[in-house]
Amino acid sequence: MPNDMMSGPREGGGGVKRTSVISAVCCCLAVILQLTAYATLKAPFFGLAFLLLGCLLFHPRSPLGGRLELESFLLSFTVCSLWAGIAGVFSVYLDDPSQKGDPLWFFTLATETGAGLALDDIRGLTAGSGAVLAWRSLYDLSSALGFEKGPYIAVAFNTFIVSAAGVVAVKTARLIFGDDRPRAERLMHLFALCGIFWLFAATHMRDGFVLLLNTLLVHAWACYLMRPRLSAAALLLLASIAGVVALLYLRTEFLFLPVALLLAGGGAMFVSGQLTRPSGILTILLIVGAAVLCIPMMPSSVTDLLRLVTGQAELYGEFAKSLDNSGSSLGVTYVINQPMPVRLAAGFFYLQIFPIPFWSGFSEVGIYHLLKALNGIFMWFAVPLAALGACRSLQVKEKTRKSALLFMAFVYAGMTFAIAATSLETRHVGAFLVPLLILATVPDLRAQPDIRAHRMLLRAWLGMILCIHIAWTVLKFV
């Protein structure tokens, strides 16, 4: 394993200029598209307002900021705003059917149906009550300031939330790798190019909130694994408890996440050899303490939690089958209808390459299908890099860094298997993509061994995807 992870700061003035130019171009295009879509200056006004807020929060002189953090925020925010403008054009001029489902329902809840209702009352209407309450507060504030309640307000906020998750991702990478600018730039570019993050930011949906929450929990674990001290353990314990409470009002299907992260963290420390140190005893106590405190806040029994998970699996399975009245969907035939062991293995792989065929999202009118198709193409290139990163993580000598990287691999793999067993929805996997992207920053693309290994993996992966598309064509039409 190259010792590049131990190297000091690397400067990259050219990278700063490129990122600044891309951000400026995307910002200008976003303003033009939002003016075109909504025919009002209010739409870009809210976007620029949240852009300014982010610049203040993540400025190098801010306690939350830094040079890399600010660059990451600007790049992610402007790129996502560009796609938000495109989504607005789809909605207004193309009567986008994909924005008439959950996005319209959430907009109605935040502006009309949920007006005056308490948080628990809203929870009776939707599992995303926390997001609805945040949007409603934002709409009420804008209304008090004399602005009408347009969906672009919540979309601008969603863009801010997603971009903030990108900042947390960069902070996590810096915690693991130090001030390695090339790796940080790779991470911020991967984050800004991810189609599923564009979807979270550009539509009136709650997934951006879940993404930020998950990324914060992963960061809390990285802090502990890199510096396993009592203070870090206490903060992690508080974060785990807060995570359970937040998930109750954002996505109840993920209620098991804090406990799953505890298992992933313990497993990573065991594999890396950290459990033999005093920090191992602290980790065991942390797991026991978190379980004692978190489990009572979950559904009243393990049976209720299992019923919730299996109920979601049946719900999503029936929904997929309802869209396939002709029985022609290969995903339904070869994944959803398979016994659970086969479904887990096939579903895990399916979630890395969805959609099949990749052009299906380009043939349907709707920003939802378009962005999921673009995300599929993004995954073609991200997965081989992350797979190489997972292999290289096993070769890391420093136990704390090895634990943190293995934790990322365990979290992504474990949550993908869980989603393969339940919803089989790539949008849900998107909430756990940050660990995958951090693994994708592990390979040193300045070293010949990693360059050669990456090229070999990429060719093999793309060749496999080509073969799958050929097989799809044969099975579909022959």
Side-chain angles (χ1 to χ4, degrees):
M1 178 70 183
N3 291 324
D4 58 289
M5 289 189 189
M6 303 301 295
S7 56
R10 282 93 176 241
E11 295 300 326
V16 177
K17 293 179 181 178
R18 285 194 299 272
T19 301
S20 300
V21 170
I22 294 170
S23 299
V25 171
C26 289
C27 184
C28 293
L29 291 175
V31 169
I32 293 170
L33 285 168
Q34 289 173 7
L35 285 173
T36 302
Y38 300 107
T40 174
L41 287 171
K42 297 172 185 177
F45 168 80
F46 280 96
L48 293 173
F50 279 111
L51 177 62
L52 177 60
L53 175 62
C55 290
L56 294 174
L57 285 176
F58 304 120
H59 190 274
R61 294 184 180 180
S62 166
L64 299 177
R67 288 183 61 186
L68 290 170
E69 287 84 350
L70 180 59
E71 288 176 42
S72 174
F73 177 81
L74 288 173
L75 182 62
S76 296
F77 189 93
T78 52
V79 171
C80 288
S81 293
L82 173 61
W83 281 103
I86 295 172
V89 171
F90 268 71
S91 178
V92 175
Y93 293 99
L94 300 179
D95 197 28
D96 184 358
S98 68
Q99 297 189 60
K100 291 184 176 180
D102 284 347
L104 181 59
W105 167 238
F106 280 127
F107 175 70
T108 303
L109 276 177
T111 56
E112 299 175 13
T113 309
L117 296 179
L119 181 60
D120 286 325
D121 295 326
I122 301 174
R123 191 179 173 211
L125 300 174
T126 175
S129 55
V132 172
L133 183 64
W135 290 325
R136 189 184 73 184
S137 301
L138 188 60
Y139 281 127
D140 290 345
L141 176 61
S142 62
S143 179
L145 294 174
F147 296 100
E148 62 181 10
K149 297 179 179 180
Y152 46 80
I153 298 175
V155 169
F157 184 56
N158 287 356
T159 301
F160 174 82
I161 291 292
V162 170
S163 303
V167 172
V168 178
V170 168
K171 283 185 175 295
T172 305
R174 290 186 66 189
L175 190 66
I176 297 171
F177 302 116
D179 291 327
D180 190 328
R181 183 173 186 89
R183 281 196 168 94
E185 284 189 342
R186 190 191 312 169
L187 177 59
M188 69 174 69
H189 291 154
L190 285 170
F191 191 95
L193 288 171
C194 182
I196 209 72
F197 295 161
W198 297 343
L199 179 64
F200 293 172
T203 56
H204 205 304
M205 300 176 73
R206 57 178 160 155
D207 299 273
F209 291 84
V210 183
L211 171 66
L212 178 58
L213 174 62
N214 292 349
T215 307
L216 286 169
L217 289 173
V218 166
H219 179 74
W221 261 103
C223 289
Y224 173 71
L225 292 172
M226 291 300 296
R227 301 184 184 92
R229 301 167 183 166
L230 183 59
S231 57
L235 289 174
L236 179 55
L237 182 60
L238 292 175
S240 299
I241 296 170
V244 172
V245 175
L247 287 167
L248 283 169
Y249 296 100
L250 288 175
R251 190 176 288 282
T252 52
E253 303 98 304
F254 293 165
L255 268 176
F256 61 90
L257 175 62
V259 174
L261 295 183
L262 287 165
L263 296 176
M269 295 186 78
F270 174 77
V271 174
S272 66
Q274 262 192 292
L275 283 180
T276 60
R277 302 170 61 185
S279 60
I281 300 174
L282 183 59
T283 300
I284 294 172
L285 293 175
L286 175 66
I287 293 174
V288 173
V292 170
L293 293 172
C294 289
I295 289 177
M297 290 186 286
M298 293 185 180
S300 57
S301 68
V302 175
T303 304
D304 290 341
L305 184 58
L306 290 174
R307 189 182 298 116
L308 173 66
V309 173
T310 55
Q312 289 297 324
E314 293 173 0
L315 175 64
Y316 285 110
E318 291 301 319
F319 178 69
K321 293 173 185 177
S322 71
L323 298 178
D324 180 44
N325 295 326
S326 63
S328 60
S329 170
L330 300 182
V332 170
T333 303
Y334 293 104
V335 182
I336 293 177
N337 287 340
Q338 295 300 313
M340 185 54 70
V342 177
R343 173 172 172 156
L344 284 174
F348 182 93
F349 182 73
Y350 177 78
L351 288 168
Q352 312 310 310
I353 60 175
F354 180 89
I356 304 172
F358 74 90
W359 59 80
S360 61
F362 300 100
S363 61
E364 300 185 41
V365 176
I367 195 69
Y368 182 87
H369 303 290
L370 172 61
L371 293 182
K372 290 187 78 172
L374 291 174
N375 186 72
I377 296 173
F378 168 81
M379 294 291 282
W380 294 356
F381 300 94
V383 169
L385 202 54
L388 177 60
C391 293
R392 291 290 188 253
S393 298
L394 291 169
Q395 302 171 5
V396 174
K397 301 299 183 184
E398 186 181 342
K399 289 184 178 180
T400 54
R401 182 176 285 112
K402 185 175 184 178
S403 292
L405 293 174
L406 290 178
F407 171 76
M408 301 298 165
F410 291 164
V411 169
Y412 181 73
M415 295 310 301
T416 304
F417 275 121
I419 292 165
T422 53
S423 66
L424 207 68
E425 168 60 65
T426 52
R427 185 162 50 87
H428 296 165
V429 176
F432 302 96
L433 274 183
V434 166
L436 181 82
L437 300 187
I438 290 175
L439 287 174
T441 65
V442 174
D444 183 6
L445 298 183
R446 298 154 293 189
Q448 284 301 317
D450 280 4
I451 292 173
R452 288 193 294 268
H454 175 241
R455 287 175 179 171
M456 181 184 68
L457 280 173
L458 181 61
R459 289 190 190 114
W461 183 249
L462 294 179
M464 188 184 307
I465 292 172
L466 176 61
C467 291
I468 289 171
H469 278 77
I470 293 172
W472 178 89
T473 303
V474 171
L475 292 169
K476 192 80 171 180
F477 298 108
V478 175

